[in-house]
PDB file of all heavy atoms in Angstrom:
ATOM      1  N   GLU A  84      -6.944   1.228 -14.939  1.00 99.00           N
ATOM      2  CA  GLU A  84      -7.108   2.583 -14.363  1.00 99.00           C
ATOM      3  C   GLU A  84      -6.009   2.892 -13.349  1.00 99.00           C
ATOM      4  O   GLU A  84      -5.602   4.022 -13.180  1.00 99.00           O
ATOM      5  CB  GLU A  84      -8.474   2.755 -13.740  1.00 99.00           C
ATOM      6  CG  GLU A  84      -9.598   2.626 -14.771  1.00 99.00           C
ATOM      7  CD  GLU A  84     -10.943   2.603 -14.143  1.00 99.00           C
ATOM      8  OE1 GLU A  84     -11.333   1.593 -13.549  1.00 99.00           O
ATOM      9  OE2 GLU A  84     -11.628   3.674 -14.142  1.00 99.00           O
ATOM     10  N   LEU A  85      -5.584   1.856 -12.602  1.00 99.00           N
ATOM     11  CA  LEU A  85      -4.540   2.010 -11.592  1.00 99.00           C
ATOM     12  C   LEU A  85      -3.557   0.873 -11.792  1.00 99.00           C
ATOM     13  O   LEU A  85      -3.952  -0.243 -12.126  1.00 99.00           O
ATOM     14  CB  LEU A  85      -5.125   1.928 -10.190  1.00 99.00           C
ATOM     15  CG  LEU A  85      -6.043   3.083  -9.709  1.00 99.00           C
ATOM     16  CD1 LEU A  85      -6.674   2.691  -8.374  1.00 99.00           C
ATOM     17  CD2 LEU A  85      -5.277   4.368  -9.593  1.00 99.00           C
ATOM     18  N   VAL A  86      -2.264   1.174 -11.465  1.00 99.00           N
ATOM     19  CA  VAL A  86      -1.229   0.136 -11.515  1.00 99.00           C
ATOM     20  C   VAL A  86      -0.647  -0.027 -10.153  1.00 99.00           C
ATOM     21  O   VAL A  86      -0.312   0.981  -9.471  1.00 99.00           O
ATOM     22  CB  VAL A  86      -0.139   0.543 -12.522  1.00 99.00           C
ATOM     23  CG1 VAL A  86       1.060  -0.397 -12.478  1.00 99.00           C
ATOM     24  CG2 VAL A  86      -0.707   0.601 -13.946  1.00 99.00           C
ATOM     25  N   CYS A  87      -0.455  -1.278  -9.685  1.00 99.00           N
ATOM     26  CA  CYS A  87       0.250  -1.522  -8.435  1.00 99.00           C
ATOM     27  C   CYS A  87       1.492  -2.345  -8.753  1.00 99.00           C
ATOM     28  O   CYS A  87       1.424  -3.468  -9.299  1.00 99.00           O
ATOM     29  CB  CYS A  87      -0.624  -2.384  -7.499  1.00 99.00           C
ATOM     30  SG  CYS A  87      -1.992  -1.482  -6.783  1.00 99.00           S
ATOM     31  N   LEU A  88       2.659  -1.754  -8.442  1.00 98.00           N
ATOM     32  CA  LEU A  88       3.923  -2.509  -8.542  1.00 98.00           C
ATOM     33  C   LEU A  88       4.048  -3.341  -7.271  1.00 98.00           C
ATOM     34  O   LEU A  88       3.928  -2.819  -6.163  1.00 98.00           O
ATOM     35  CB  LEU A  88       5.107  -1.557  -8.647  1.00 98.00           C
ATOM     36  CG  LEU A  88       5.041  -0.512  -9.761  1.00 98.00           C
ATOM     37  CD1 LEU A  88       6.314   0.372  -9.744  1.00 98.00           C
ATOM     38  CD2 LEU A  88       4.877  -1.177 -11.134  1.00 98.00           C
ATOM     39  N   ALA A  89       4.264  -4.624  -7.433  1.00 98.00           N
ATOM     40  CA  ALA A  89       4.322  -5.507  -6.229  1.00 98.00           C
ATOM     41  C   ALA A  89       5.502  -6.484  -6.409  1.00 98.00           C
ATOM     42  O   ALA A  89       5.338  -7.570  -6.957  1.00 98.00           O
ATOM     43  CB  ALA A  89       3.006  -6.255  -6.078  1.00 98.00           C
ATOM     44  N   GLY A  90       6.688  -6.009  -6.044  1.00 97.00           N
ATOM     45  CA  GLY A  90       7.872  -6.807  -6.263  1.00 97.00           C
ATOM     46  C   GLY A  90       8.239  -6.874  -7.742  1.00 97.00           C
ATOM     47  O   GLY A  90       8.667  -7.876  -8.255  1.00 97.00           O
ATOM     48  N   PHE A  91       8.012  -5.724  -8.422  1.00 98.00           N
ATOM     49  CA  PHE A  91       8.317  -5.624  -9.891  1.00 98.00           C
ATOM     50  C   PHE A  91       9.748  -5.074  -9.941  1.00 98.00           C
ATOM     51  O   PHE A  91      10.014  -3.939  -9.557  1.00 98.00           O
ATOM     52  CB  PHE A  91       7.321  -4.671 -10.525  1.00 98.00           C
ATOM     53  CG  PHE A  91       7.508  -4.595 -12.028  1.00 98.00           C
ATOM     54  CD1 PHE A  91       7.170  -5.680 -12.833  1.00 98.00           C
ATOM     55  CD2 PHE A  91       7.963  -3.447 -12.610  1.00 98.00           C
ATOM     56  CE1 PHE A  91       7.365  -5.589 -14.225  1.00 98.00           C
ATOM     57  CE2 PHE A  91       8.162  -3.337 -13.969  1.00 98.00           C
ATOM     58  CZ  PHE A  91       7.842  -4.426 -14.785  1.00 98.00           C
ATOM     59  N   MET A  92      10.680  -5.890 -10.481  1.00 96.00           N
ATOM     60  CA  MET A  92      12.083  -5.626 -10.359  1.00 96.00           C
ATOM     61  C   MET A  92      12.691  -4.959 -11.609  1.00 96.00           C
ATOM     62  O   MET A  92      13.840  -5.263 -11.910  1.00 96.00           O
ATOM     63  CB  MET A  92      12.852  -6.914 -10.000  1.00 96.00           C
ATOM     64  CG  MET A  92      12.356  -7.537  -8.680  1.00 96.00           C
ATOM     65  SD  MET A  92      12.404  -6.443  -7.258  1.00 96.00           S
ATOM     66  CE  MET A  92      14.160  -6.452  -6.921  1.00 96.00           C
ATOM     67  N   ARG A  93      11.953  -4.130 -12.280  1.00 96.00           N
ATOM     68  CA  ARG A  93      12.554  -3.376 -13.411  1.00 96.00           C
ATOM     69  C   ARG A  93      12.432  -1.901 -13.102  1.00 96.00           C
ATOM     70  O   ARG A  93      11.394  -1.426 -12.637  1.00 96.00           O
ATOM     71  CB  ARG A  93      11.778  -3.624 -14.719  1.00 96.00           C
ATOM     72  CG  ARG A  93      11.654  -5.049 -15.169  1.00 96.00           C
ATOM     73  CD  ARG A  93      13.001  -5.693 -15.433  1.00 96.00           C
ATOM     74  NE  ARG A  93      13.788  -5.161 -16.532  1.00 96.00           N
ATOM     75  CZ  ARG A  93      15.058  -5.456 -16.755  1.00 96.00           C
ATOM     76  NH1 ARG A  93      15.684  -6.302 -15.979  1.00 96.00           N
ATOM     77  NH2 ARG A  93      15.695  -4.954 -17.775  1.00 96.00           N
ATOM     78  N   LEU A  94      13.506  -1.186 -13.394  1.00 94.00           N
ATOM     79  CA  LEU A  94      13.435   0.268 -13.280  1.00 94.00           C
ATOM     80  C   LEU A  94      12.566   0.785 -14.435  1.00 94.00           C
ATOM     81  O   LEU A  94      12.648   0.259 -15.544  1.00 94.00           O
ATOM     82  CB  LEU A  94      14.843   0.846 -13.406  1.00 94.00           C
ATOM     83  CG  LEU A  94      15.718   0.633 -12.172  1.00 94.00           C
ATOM     84  CD1 LEU A  94      17.136   1.221 -12.440  1.00 94.00           C
ATOM     85  CD2 LEU A  94      15.134   1.267 -10.918  1.00 94.00           C
ATOM     86  N   LEU A  95      11.773   1.769 -14.141  1.00 97.00           N
ATOM     87  CA  LEU A  95      10.872   2.307 -15.164  1.00 97.00           C
ATOM     88  C   LEU A  95      11.341   3.677 -15.666  1.00 97.00           C
ATOM     89  O   LEU A  95      11.850   4.473 -14.875  1.00 97.00           O
ATOM     90  CB  LEU A  95       9.457   2.450 -14.574  1.00 97.00           C
ATOM     91  CG  LEU A  95       8.808   1.117 -14.143  1.00 97.00           C
ATOM     92  CD1 LEU A  95       7.611   1.352 -13.265  1.00 97.00           C
ATOM     93  CD2 LEU A  95       8.459   0.239 -15.323  1.00 97.00           C
ATOM     94  N   THR A  96      11.177   3.941 -16.946  1.00 97.00           N
ATOM     95  CA  THR A  96      11.638   5.208 -17.490  1.00 97.00           C
ATOM     96  C   THR A  96      10.622   6.302 -17.160  1.00 97.00           C
ATOM     97  O   THR A  96       9.460   6.028 -16.889  1.00 97.00           O
ATOM     98  CB  THR A  96      11.739   5.173 -19.039  1.00 97.00           C
ATOM     99  OG1 THR A  96      10.424   5.019 -19.582  1.00 97.00           O
ATOM    100  CG2 THR A  96      12.632   4.030 -19.507  1.00 97.00           C
ATOM    101  N   PRO A  97      11.070   7.559 -17.202  1.00 97.00           N
ATOM    102  CA  PRO A  97      10.153   8.686 -16.984  1.00 97.00           C
ATOM    103  C   PRO A  97       8.965   8.629 -17.934  1.00 97.00           C
ATOM    104  O   PRO A  97       7.853   8.980 -17.557  1.00 97.00           O
ATOM    105  CB  PRO A  97      11.015   9.931 -17.236  1.00 97.00           C
ATOM    106  CG  PRO A  97      12.399   9.462 -16.922  1.00 97.00           C
ATOM    107  CD  PRO A  97      12.478   8.036 -17.343  1.00 97.00           C
ATOM    108  N   TRP A  98       9.145   8.164 -19.133  1.00 97.00           N
ATOM    109  CA  TRP A  98       8.039   8.053 -20.079  1.00 97.00           C
ATOM    110  C   TRP A  98       6.919   7.212 -19.534  1.00 97.00           C
ATOM    111  O   TRP A  98       5.753   7.662 -19.525  1.00 97.00           O
ATOM    112  CB  TRP A  98       8.554   7.437 -21.414  1.00 97.00           C
ATOM    113  CG  TRP A  98       7.434   7.182 -22.373  1.00 97.00           C
ATOM    114  CD1 TRP A  98       6.841   8.114 -23.206  1.00 97.00           C
ATOM    115  CD2 TRP A  98       6.722   5.947 -22.628  1.00 97.00           C
ATOM    116  NE1 TRP A  98       5.825   7.517 -23.940  1.00 97.00           N
ATOM    117  CE2 TRP A  98       5.734   6.200 -23.585  1.00 97.00           C
ATOM    118  CE3 TRP A  98       6.816   4.661 -22.094  1.00 97.00           C
ATOM    119  CZ2 TRP A  98       4.860   5.233 -24.065  1.00 97.00           C
ATOM    120  CZ3 TRP A  98       5.962   3.667 -22.534  1.00 97.00           C
ATOM    121  CH2 TRP A  98       4.995   3.956 -23.535  1.00 97.00           C
ATOM    122  N   PHE A  99       7.227   6.047 -19.009  1.00 98.00           N
ATOM    123  CA  PHE A  99       6.214   5.155 -18.479  1.00 98.00           C
ATOM    124  C   PHE A  99       5.648   5.700 -17.159  1.00 98.00           C
ATOM    125  O   PHE A  99       4.417   5.736 -16.977  1.00 98.00           O
ATOM    126  CB  PHE A  99       6.823   3.754 -18.246  1.00 98.00           C
ATOM    127  CG  PHE A  99       5.789   2.739 -17.833  1.00 98.00           C
ATOM    128  CD1 PHE A  99       5.026   2.088 -18.787  1.00 98.00           C
ATOM    129  CD2 PHE A  99       5.582   2.419 -16.525  1.00 98.00           C
ATOM    130  CE1 PHE A  99       4.053   1.142 -18.430  1.00 98.00           C
ATOM    131  CE2 PHE A  99       4.634   1.486 -16.136  1.00 98.00           C
ATOM    132  CZ  PHE A  99       3.858   0.843 -17.104  1.00 98.00           C
ATOM    133  N   VAL A 100       6.508   6.199 -16.317  1.00 98.00           N
ATOM    134  CA  VAL A 100       6.044   6.708 -15.009  1.00 98.00           C
ATOM    135  C   VAL A 100       5.073   7.881 -15.225  1.00 98.00           C
ATOM    136  O   VAL A 100       4.047   7.960 -14.584  1.00 98.00           O
ATOM    137  CB  VAL A 100       7.259   7.103 -14.132  1.00 98.00           C
ATOM    138  CG1 VAL A 100       6.750   7.800 -12.872  1.00 98.00           C
ATOM    139  CG2 VAL A 100       8.062   5.877 -13.744  1.00 98.00           C
ATOM    140  N   GLU A 101       5.413   8.742 -16.174  1.00 97.00           N
ATOM    141  CA  GLU A 101       4.562   9.880 -16.379  1.00 97.00           C
ATOM    142  C   GLU A 101       3.195   9.495 -16.912  1.00 97.00           C
ATOM    143  O   GLU A 101       2.192  10.117 -16.588  1.00 97.00           O
ATOM    144  CB  GLU A 101       5.257  10.939 -17.259  1.00 97.00           C
ATOM    145  CG  GLU A 101       6.128  11.842 -16.384  1.00 97.00           C
ATOM    146  CD  GLU A 101       7.303  12.461 -17.091  1.00 97.00           C
ATOM    147  OE1 GLU A 101       7.228  12.622 -18.318  1.00 97.00           O
ATOM    148  OE2 GLU A 101       8.342  12.787 -16.411  1.00 97.00           O
ATOM    149  N   LYS A 102       3.135   8.455 -17.688  1.00 98.00           N
ATOM    150  CA  LYS A 102       1.872   7.929 -18.195  1.00 98.00           C
ATOM    151  C   LYS A 102       0.933   7.565 -17.018  1.00 98.00           C
ATOM    152  O   LYS A 102      -0.271   7.633 -17.125  1.00 98.00           O
ATOM    153  CB  LYS A 102       2.046   6.716 -19.074  1.00 98.00           C
ATOM    154  CG  LYS A 102       2.646   6.987 -20.408  1.00 98.00           C
ATOM    155  CD  LYS A 102       1.783   6.345 -21.540  1.00 98.00           C
ATOM    156  CE  LYS A 102       2.241   6.757 -22.893  1.00 98.00           C
ATOM    157  NZ  LYS A 102       1.936   8.085 -23.277  1.00 98.00           N
ATOM    158  N   TRP A 103       1.537   7.122 -15.924  1.00 98.00           N
ATOM    159  CA  TRP A 103       0.751   6.570 -14.815  1.00 98.00           C
ATOM    160  C   TRP A 103       0.881   7.440 -13.549  1.00 98.00           C
ATOM    161  O   TRP A 103       0.456   7.024 -12.471  1.00 98.00           O
ATOM    162  CB  TRP A 103       1.181   5.118 -14.529  1.00 98.00           C
ATOM    163  CG  TRP A 103       0.779   4.249 -15.676  1.00 98.00           C
ATOM    164  CD1 TRP A 103       1.566   3.819 -16.689  1.00 98.00           C
ATOM    165  CD2 TRP A 103      -0.542   3.745 -15.955  1.00 98.00           C
ATOM    166  NE1 TRP A 103       0.856   3.110 -17.594  1.00 98.00           N
ATOM    167  CE2 TRP A 103      -0.443   3.035 -17.159  1.00 98.00           C
ATOM    168  CE3 TRP A 103      -1.748   3.833 -15.310  1.00 98.00           C
ATOM    169  CZ2 TRP A 103      -1.549   2.397 -17.733  1.00 98.00           C
ATOM    170  CZ3 TRP A 103      -2.839   3.216 -15.885  1.00 98.00           C
ATOM    171  CH2 TRP A 103      -2.755   2.499 -17.084  1.00 98.00           C
ATOM    172  N   GLN A 104       1.468   8.613 -13.678  1.00 95.00           N
ATOM    173  CA  GLN A 104       1.707   9.441 -12.509  1.00 95.00           C
ATOM    174  C   GLN A 104       0.369   9.755 -11.799  1.00 95.00           C
ATOM    175  O   GLN A 104      -0.621  10.098 -12.461  1.00 95.00           O
ATOM    176  CB  GLN A 104       2.386  10.722 -12.860  1.00 95.00           C
ATOM    177  CG  GLN A 104       2.922  11.438 -11.626  1.00 95.00           C
ATOM    178  CD  GLN A 104       4.355  11.981 -11.775  1.00 95.00           C
ATOM    179  OE1 GLN A 104       5.016  11.773 -12.812  1.00 95.00           O
ATOM    180  NE2 GLN A 104       4.826  12.648 -10.772  1.00 95.00           N
ATOM    181  N   GLY A 105       0.359   9.559 -10.504  1.00 97.00           N
ATOM    182  CA  GLY A 105      -0.864   9.709  -9.717  1.00 97.00           C
ATOM    183  C   GLY A 105      -1.797   8.501  -9.773  1.00 97.00           C
ATOM    184  O   GLY A 105      -2.832   8.475  -9.126  1.00 97.00           O
TER     185      GLY A 105
END
Side-chain angles (χ1 to χ4, degrees):
E84 297 174 281
L85 292 172
V86 173
C87 287
L88 306 180
F91 184 71
M92 302 304 284
R93 302 300 295 169
L94 288 176
L95 297 167
T96 67
W98 174 80
F99 186 83
V100 172
E101 273 153 27
K102 289 228 171 289
W103 294 98
Q104 194 135 356

